[in-house]
Structure formats: structure tokens, C-alpha cells
């Protein structure tokens, strides 16, 4: 009898992007532009930090399982508390969904090269994991609808999608949903919701509220709380009731919950973050296209570039690192010839384009020589 099931043995653990300190230590650099992990370059919401600090005197007491945050979110979105769950990042809730609803004979369906965190969690359950290819770097919803079978239990859709940054539209989702049986759960991962919500074509899942749709959102991105690990979800009360059975009893932590509540109240920080991101997306896209790189249009806080080969993507990644610019290679996602570049401060973005001009020009010349 094996110690580890084969489906666990074959997994690779999630690998985070390079840290500033590791790059500084390796290359002896002072200035590092970390554009690998889709973090908010403005840092955390000040109101979130203030709210978190007020909880520190009570760290000897157990948390209340996110109840305070659930109540705030219920008021904010005009729901019952029974429709809301809070957890350690949206991935924490994702893990609970996998545990609560998948049986051995069930199958998971999504796009190829989906968010790597979901890939790891879904495959860790040992059920069949099926995918369909992208269509022009977008979810191919008609193909996904056609791939649903009697064993399909969960369909995972990220909108905007990580790592491509693309969205599917209201019309596309409406057409897709007509083909989804009621017994199939749809996870709508909206980690980058705030960046796309003002696009009139974007299907905000809270306008649907279907009984078999679970919405996941996070404070890790635009609110700058990636280190606090705080996320939340909305769903039919029966789904939430079963998720509460399998979640860790005291997650999220008291400081994380307070930070989430504080962040929700910080509208000025949200506005500044959106402005900086819009400026960064425009600057990076124009700069990358100017030097001849293929850039996928994005509705999130990052851009994906498509290189001619895995070797060229790896070489550009390493050469950017040596210049203090950290981007994200996407081989682990299933896109070995692609790089993902987060938006940063104006200075970070400038450093990125300057380094990319040197690196890409040199690589293009080397490729022609080859």
C-alpha cells in the first residue's frame, strides 16, 4: 500500500514568484522591480492596516470564523449572511469546494493552462481533470459547454482569467449557462473583479446569483492584502452551509478579517489603485508592442506576452532578473513560451520597459544569428 496516492505523488507544489530579497542576494542589486505576482504596488490599504493593528491586543483569543466580515459583505451586496463565506484567500475557499463537493467518480472541467493554484487543488483530489484549449487566449465557452458529460461536477471559470488577463462577456456567459445542468457547480473566480467591473461587457456574477454558481473574490490584489490571506465567496445558502462544514474552524485570522473590513471602506485607495493600474497597463502594452513583442489584451493588473519558444521565454526571464526586473514565467501553468508581467509603480514599469528593450533586442539579434 503506497504511502502517497499516485495523484499526489505526481503533483508539483505551487511555486511562488521570485522574492525581492532572493533576487537582490543573487545579483547584488539595490533596485528591484517585482512584477511577478500581481500584487498592488501601492502596498496595503491604509485603512486595512489601521483596522488590523487594532486587533493585535486580542491575539490570545480565537477568531470568530470570519463572521464579522461575512456580515459586512452581506450588507454591502444585499445578501443574507448565509450566502457568504470568508477564508484564507480565495484559494482557501477553493480548497473547501474541492473537499466538499467532489466524489471519486466526478470530473472537473476548465480551460487548458488555468490558474495554477486551481490546477494543483483540483488534481490533488485524484478525480479526472479535463480541459479544452483557449480560443485566441480566451475561454472557449462553446467548447466547454460541449465537453460537459454525465460525470462533470465542477466547471472552473476565472474572469478575468489568470494568466491571460482576458475576459468572457455577458453574452458569452449567458449562452454558455444555457448548456450547464443544474447539478454542475460553476466556480466563477473573480480575483481581478475590481479591475474589470466597469467594462460594460463584463458579467459581474452578483447580477446572476444562480443556485449552482459560486463566486470567489479576494483582498489580495487591488486591496494590497496578499500577505494577510483573506478572501470571500458568495453562493446559495445550501452550498455555503456545506462549505462551512469542511473549512478550518478558526479561519480567517482575526487581523486578516479586520483588514478585509477596513479595506472595503477605503474607497479612495481603491480609486488610486485603479488609476495607477490603468496607466501601467497602457504604458507596458505600448512599450512592449513598440519593441515587437506579442501582448495579449488584459482586463486585470498584468499582461501576458507570447514568445516564439520556451527557450526564448526562459532566456528573457533570466536576463531581466539580472537587471532587477522580476516577471513570471508560465511554464508551470502550461504555457512555457509565455511570460506574465504585473503592473507596478510608474518607476517599476519604466525599469521594466528599459530592461526589456535591451533584452528583447539582444535576443532577437541572437535568434537571427542562429
Amino acid at each position: 500500500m503506497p504511502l502517497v496516492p499516485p495523484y499526489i505523488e505526481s503533483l508539483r507544489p505551487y511555486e511562488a514568484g521570485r522574492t525581492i530579497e532572493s533576487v537582490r542576494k543573487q545579483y547584488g542589486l539595490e533596485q528591484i522591480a517585482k512584477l511577478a505576482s500581481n500584487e498592488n504596488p501601492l502596498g496595503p490599504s491604509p485603512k486595512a492596516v489601521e483596522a488590523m493593528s487594532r486587533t493585535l491586543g486580542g491575539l490570545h483569543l480565537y477568531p470568530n470564523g470570519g463572521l464579522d466580515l461575512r456580515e459586512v459583505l452581506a450588507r454591502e451586496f444585499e445578501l443574507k449572511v448565509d450566502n457568504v463565506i470568508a477564508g484564507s484567500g480565495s484559494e482557501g475557499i477553493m480548497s473547501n469546494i474541492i473537499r466538499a463537493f467532489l466524489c471519486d467518480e466526478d470530473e472537473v472541467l476548465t480551460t487548458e493552462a488555468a490558474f495554477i493554484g486551481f490546477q494543483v487543488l483540483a488534481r490533488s483530489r485524484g478525480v479526472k481533470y479535463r480541459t479544452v484549449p483557449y480560443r485566441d487566449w480566451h475561454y472557449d465557452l462553446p467548447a466547454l459547454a460541449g465537453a460537459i458529460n454525465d460525470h462533470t461536477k465542477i466547471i472552473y471559470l476565472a474572469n478575468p482569467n489568470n494568466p491571460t488577463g482576458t475576459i468572457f462577456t455577458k453574452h458569452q456567459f449567458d449562452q454558455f449557462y444555457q448548456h450547464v445542468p443544474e447539478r454542475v457547480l460553476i466556480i466563477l473566480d473573480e480575483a481581478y473583479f475590481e479591475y474589470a467591473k466597469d467594462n460594460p461587457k463584463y458579467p459581474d456574477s452578483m447580477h446572476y446569483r444562480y443556485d449552482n454558481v459560486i463566486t470567489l473574490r479576494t483582498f489580495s490584489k487591488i486591496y494590497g492584502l496578499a500577505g494577510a490571506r483573506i478572501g470571500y465567496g458568495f453562493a446559495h445558502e445550501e452550498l455555503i452551509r456545506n462549505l462551512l462544514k469542511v473549512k478550518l474552524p478558526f479561519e480567517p485570522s482575526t487581523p486578516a478579517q479586520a483588514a478585509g473590513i477596513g479595506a472595503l471602506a477605503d474607497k479612495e485607495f481603491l480609486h488610486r489603485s485603479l488609476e495607477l493600474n490603468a496607466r501601467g497597463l497602457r504604458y507596458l502594452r505600448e512599450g512592449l508592442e513598440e519593441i515587437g513583442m506579442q501582448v495579449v489584451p488584459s482586463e486585470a493588473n498584468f499582461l501576458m506576452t507570447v514568445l516564439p519558444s520556451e527557450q526564448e521565454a526562459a532566456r528573457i526571464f533570466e536576463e531581466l532578473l539580472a537587471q532587477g526586473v522580476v516577471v513570471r514565467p508560465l511554464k508551470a501553468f502550461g504555457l512555457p513560451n509565455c511570460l506574465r508581467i504585473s503592473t507596478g509603480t510608474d518607476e517599476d514599469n519604466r525599469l521594466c520597459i528599459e530592461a526589456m528593450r535591451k533584452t528583447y533586442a539582444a535576443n532577437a539579434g541572437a535568434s537571427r544569428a542562429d
Side-chain angles (χ1 to χ4, degrees), residues 250-324:
F250 297 113
E251 72 163 347
S253 72
T254 300
Q257 174 178 233
I261 294 171
L264 283 172
D266 202 342
K267 307 303 182 187
E268 190 273 337
F269 180 80
L270 183 72
H271 180 69
R272 283 198 297 128
S273 299
L274 286 170
E275 281 191 335
L276 177 63
N277 183 67
R279 191 163 67 241
L281 276 181
R282 184 169 57 250
Y283 179 84
L284 289 173
R285 185 187 70 248
E286 291 174 355
L288 294 169
E289 288 178 344
E290 185 180 287
I291 60 178
M293 299 189 74
Q294 181 183 347
V295 181
V296 177
S298 174
E299 298 281 347
N301 65 339
F302 57 86
L303 291 167
M304 190 178 83
T305 63
V306 184
L307 284 305
S309 67
E310 176 181 348
Q311 293 72 25
E312 186 161 358
R315 182 163 56 178
I316 289 176
F317 167 69
E318 293 293 343
E319 291 181 14
L320 289 177
L321 268 187
Q323 298 177 70

Side-chain angles (χ1 to χ4, degrees), residues 79-329:
L79 298 169
K80 295 183 294 184
V81 174
D82 292 343
N83 296 122
V84 187
I85 189 169
S88 299
S90 53
E91 290 106 323
I93 303 170
M94 220 179 276
S95 176
N96 293 331
I97 294 170
I98 299 295
R99 293 174 61 201
F101 299 116
L102 284 178
C103 301
D104 291 346
E105 68 276 9
D106 292 335
E107 296 181 1
V108 172
L109 179 62
T110 187
T111 188
E112 65 180 2
F115 168 53
I116 186 64
F118 178 77
Q119 290 191 50
V120 172
L121 288 171
R123 294 180 191 277
S124 73
R125 179 58 181 81
V127 300
K128 192 167 185 180
Y129 180 92
R130 295 189 299 119
T131 66
V132 301
Y134 285 119
R135 179 188 291 179
D136 192 27
W137 301 114
H138 291 72
Y139 272 90
D140 189 340
L141 292 183
L144 279 167
I148 296 171
N149 63 30
D150 291 342
H151 295 286
T152 306
K153 172 65 75 68
I154 289 176
I155 300 174
Y156 173 79
L157 307 175
N159 203 35
N161 183 45
N162 178 14
T164 64
T166 53
I167 65 167
F168 49 82
T169 67
K170 291 177 181 177
H171 175 72
Q172 290 168 334
F173 182 71
D174 290 340
Q175 293 291 110
F176 167 76
Y177 189 79
Q178 294 177 19
H179 301 281
V180 180
E182 291 181 1
R183 61 174 173 78
V184 176
L185 297 178
I186 300 174
I187 298 176
L188 272 179
D189 185 349
E190 295 181 345
Y192 302 92
F193 158 78
E194 291 85 1
Y195 298 106
K197 65 182 177 64
D198 292 330
N199 184 332
K201 294 183 178 180
Y202 180 74
D204 177 351
S205 64
M206 294 307 293
H207 295 158
Y208 292 87
R209 301 189 181 181
Y210 294 140
D211 289 352
N212 61 336
V213 172
I214 304 174
T215 296
L216 297 181
R217 293 181 184 168
T218 184
F219 290 97
S220 295
K221 307 305 178 186
I222 202 162
Y223 292 108
L225 296 176
R229 309 312 303 129
I230 180 73
Y232 58 100
F234 302 121
H236 186 276
E237 58 195 64
E238 182 67 12
L239 298 179
I240 297 296
R241 186 176 68 82
N242 283 287
L243 288 175
L244 291 174
K245 294 176 183 177
V246 300
K247 76 182 284 290
L248 295 174
F250 297 113
E251 72 163 347
S253 72
T254 300
Q257 174 178 233
I261 294 171
L264 283 172
D266 202 342
K267 307 303 182 187
E268 190 273 337
F269 180 80
L270 183 72
H271 180 69
R272 283 198 297 128
S273 299
L274 286 170
E275 281 191 335
L276 177 63
N277 183 67
R279 191 163 67 241
L281 276 181
R282 184 169 57 250
Y283 179 84
L284 289 173
R285 185 187 70 248
E286 291 174 355
L288 294 169
E289 288 178 344
E290 185 180 287
I291 60 178
M293 299 189 74
Q294 181 183 347
V295 181
V296 177
S298 174
E299 298 281 347
N301 65 339
F302 57 86
L303 291 167
M304 190 178 83
T305 63
V306 184
L307 284 305
S309 67
E310 176 181 348
Q311 293 72 25
E312 186 161 358
R315 182 163 56 178
I316 289 176
F317 167 69
E318 293 293 343
E319 291 181 14
L320 289 177
L321 268 187
Q323 298 177 70
V325 176
V326 190
V327 300
R328 180 72 147 146

